[in-house]
């Protein structure tokens, strides 16, 4: 008979899924970039060359082909956005800090939430796996603010101390009553985003604390030792 899943099994399982999900996202983003996006660009170029070189088409046909080209460009933009969200290239090229600044700027531009970021200390770069995990944690927390909090302001505080880094994300939204403090607690309540955040922090051997009160917003703090993580 199969053993029932205990908390340790559950969290091992979530950790494995978190890793596999990141690898899968990277693979899909690369495939989209290397094949789908390149094919769409090639089709659009062919169409433009055909329109420029042929003098034989009647106006309705030309109009139809121009419309088709527009549609291909719209799909291209959508696929680029999709691929960008799967694995933001900014994280690979510029690193954690600009990527989080970018997420905060999006809060202001796209969602009219007054997002601010405050950096204390000397920013440093972390190992790629550490940066992507910290980025995903911040991304999930900020996405939750957009989707669930009804907040008007969101603040990100990143503090680079000599041995530790801490990231605090605060919103002034509706809050979450009865918030569990462990990933298995989140899992049992079906809160997979919060469980994923907690497991990513565990993967990095850091700590996470979430405090929230109904009507008084939510604060999430992640603390990580720099040792072994900094490049
Ligand atoms: N900042 C927040 N303010 C208020 N409620 C929140 C906040 N963050 C999360 N919640 C509540 O906690 C629930 C669980 O969040 P979680 O991120 O685990 O799942 P989700 O966002 O609903 O789905 P997903 O799996 O796509 O992340 C949300 O549905 C929401 O009710
Ligand atoms: Mg979520």
């Amino acid at each position: 008979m199969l053993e029932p899943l205990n908390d340790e099994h559950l969290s091992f399982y979530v950790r494995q899924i978190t890793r596999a999900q990141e690898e899968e996202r990277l693979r899909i983003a690369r495939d989209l970039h290397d094949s789908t996006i390149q094919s769409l660009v090639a089709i659009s170029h062919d169409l433009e060359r055909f329109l420029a070189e042929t003098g034989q088409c009647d106006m309705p046909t030309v109009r139809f082909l121009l419309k088709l080209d527009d549609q291909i460009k719209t799909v291209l933009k959508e696929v680029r956005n999709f691929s960008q969200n799967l694995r933001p290239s900014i994280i690979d090229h510029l690193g954690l800090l600009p990527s989080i600044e970018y997420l905060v700027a999006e809060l202001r531009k796209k969602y009219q939430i007054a997002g601010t970021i405050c950096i204390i200390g000397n920013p440093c770069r972390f190992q790629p796996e550490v940066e992507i995990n910290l980025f995903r944690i911040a991304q999930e927390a900020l996405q939750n603010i957009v989707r669930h909090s009804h907040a008007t302001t969101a603040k990100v505080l990143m503090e680079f101390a000599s041995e530790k880094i801490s990231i605090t994300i605060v919103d002034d939204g509706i809050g979450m009553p009865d918030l569990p403090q462990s990933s298995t607690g989140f899992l049992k309540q079906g809160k997979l985003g919060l469980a994923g955040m907690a497991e990513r922090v565990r993967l990095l051997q850091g700590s996470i604390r979430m405090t929230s009160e109904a009507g008084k917003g939510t604060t999430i703090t992640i603390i990580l030792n720099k040792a072994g993580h900094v490049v």
Side-chain angles (χ1 to χ4, degrees):
M1 203 173 73
L2 281 175
E3 255 183 82
L5 283 178
N6 62 28
D7 284 5
E8 211 178 306
H9 292 138
L10 266 178
S11 97
F12 173 77
Y13 187 56
V14 178
R15 219 156 40 236
Q16 297 300 92
I17 290 176
T18 304
R19 273 206 180 118
Q21 188 190 45
E22 212 51 69
E23 281 163 18
E24 185 74 348
R25 283 179 177 176
L26 183 59
R27 191 186 62 71
I28 298 170
R30 284 200 178 133
D31 282 357
L32 283 173
H33 179 268
D34 297 344
S35 85
T36 315
I37 291 178
Q38 304 310 326
S39 305
L40 287 167
V41 169
I43 295 169
S44 173
H45 280 169
D46 282 353
L47 206 52
E48 279 163 14
R49 202 173 323 118
F50 176 80
L51 279 163
E53 286 170 5
T54 184
Q56 316 252 312
C57 287
D58 53 28
M59 272 321 278
T61 310
V62 170
R63 250 185 249 122
F64 173 75
L65 292 177
L66 283 172
K67 195 168 150 215
L68 210 57
D69 192 31
D70 265 358
Q71 283 171 344
I72 293 169
K73 289 203 171 94
T74 307
V75 174
L76 193 54
K77 209 166 147 195
E78 284 167 3
V79 179
R80 277 202 175 112
N81 278 342
F82 182 61
S83 153
Q84 179 66 13
N85 283 338
L86 272 175
R87 177 76 184 202
S89 53
I90 189 170
I91 185 82
D92 296 315
H93 294 131
L94 300 178
L96 182 65
L97 195 53
S99 311
I100 294 185
E101 280 168 342
Y102 167 80
L103 292 178
V104 173
E106 278 207 319
L107 288 183
R108 296 192 296 267
K109 272 192 247 155
K110 280 201 196 156
Y111 305 105
Q112 287 76 48
I113 295 173
T116 51
I117 183 160
C118 173
I119 317 287
I120 297 175
N122 287 329
C124 57
R125 292 290 306 264
F126 295 90
Q127 305 284 355
E129 187 180 283
V130 177
E131 295 216 332
I132 189 71
N133 274 305
L134 289 175
F135 173 77
R136 292 294 186 204
I137 292 164
Q139 188 182 35
E140 176 63 34
L142 294 172
Q143 250 166 29
N144 278 347
I145 292 176
V146 168
R147 290 171 52 194
H148 310 297
S149 75
H150 302 278
T152 56
T153 66
K155 291 182 201 144
V156 178
L157 169 69
M158 292 178 75
E159 201 168 348
F160 294 84
S162 53
E163 287 172 6
K164 288 178 183 185
I165 174 190
S166 72
I167 305 178
T168 304
I169 300 173
V170 188
D171 71 65
D172 65 349
I174 57 174
M176 289 180 269
D178 309 323
L179 191 63
Q181 279 301 322
S182 69
S183 69
T184 42
F186 295 133
L187 281 177
K188 283 172 189 158
Q189 289 187 0
K191 294 181 157 117
L192 298 187
L194 297 176
M197 280 168 73
E199 279 311 323
R200 283 180 194 274
V201 173
R202 256 165 70 121
L203 256 176
L204 304 175
Q205 293 168 318
S207 65
I208 183 165
R209 188 174 150 74
M210 303 190 193
T211 52
S212 190
E213 229 183 292
K216 293 199 174 155
T218 301
T219 299
I220 298 177
T221 303
I222 298 123
I223 299 176
L224 191 66
N225 275 323
K226 280 179 168 177
H229 290 325
V230 174
V231 284

Short mmCIF file of all heavy atoms in Angstrom, two decimals, residues 23 64 157 185:
data_model
loop_
_atom_site.label_atom_id
_atom_site.label_comp_id
_atom_site.label_asym_id
_atom_site.label_seq_id
_atom_site.Cartn_x
_atom_site.Cartn_y
_atom_site.Cartn_z
N GLU A 23 12.80 25.08 -15.88
CA GLU A 23 13.51 24.53 -17.04
C GLU A 23 12.59 24.49 -18.25
O GLU A 23 12.98 24.81 -19.36
CB GLU A 23 14.01 23.11 -16.74
CG GLU A 23 15.28 23.15 -15.92
CD GLU A 23 15.58 21.81 -15.26
OE1 GLU A 23 15.02 20.77 -15.70
OE2 GLU A 23 16.35 21.82 -14.29
N PHE A 64 -6.07 43.21 -49.04
CA PHE A 64 -6.17 41.95 -48.29
C PHE A 64 -4.79 41.52 -47.77
O PHE A 64 -4.63 41.15 -46.60
CB PHE A 64 -6.79 40.86 -49.18
CG PHE A 64 -6.77 39.50 -48.55
CD1 PHE A 64 -7.65 39.19 -47.53
CD2 PHE A 64 -5.84 38.54 -48.97
CE1 PHE A 64 -7.63 37.93 -46.93
CE2 PHE A 64 -5.81 37.29 -48.37
CZ PHE A 64 -6.71 36.99 -47.36
N LEU A 157 11.21 47.02 -1.13
CA LEU A 157 12.43 47.49 -0.47
C LEU A 157 13.48 46.39 -0.60
O LEU A 157 13.25 45.25 -0.20
CB LEU A 157 12.13 47.75 1.01
CG LEU A 157 13.33 48.00 1.90
CD1 LEU A 157 13.99 49.33 1.57
CD2 LEU A 157 12.91 47.99 3.37
N GLY A 185 0.97 24.52 4.45
CA GLY A 185 -0.27 25.21 4.83
C GLY A 185 -0.92 25.86 3.62
O GLY A 185 -2.13 25.76 3.42
#
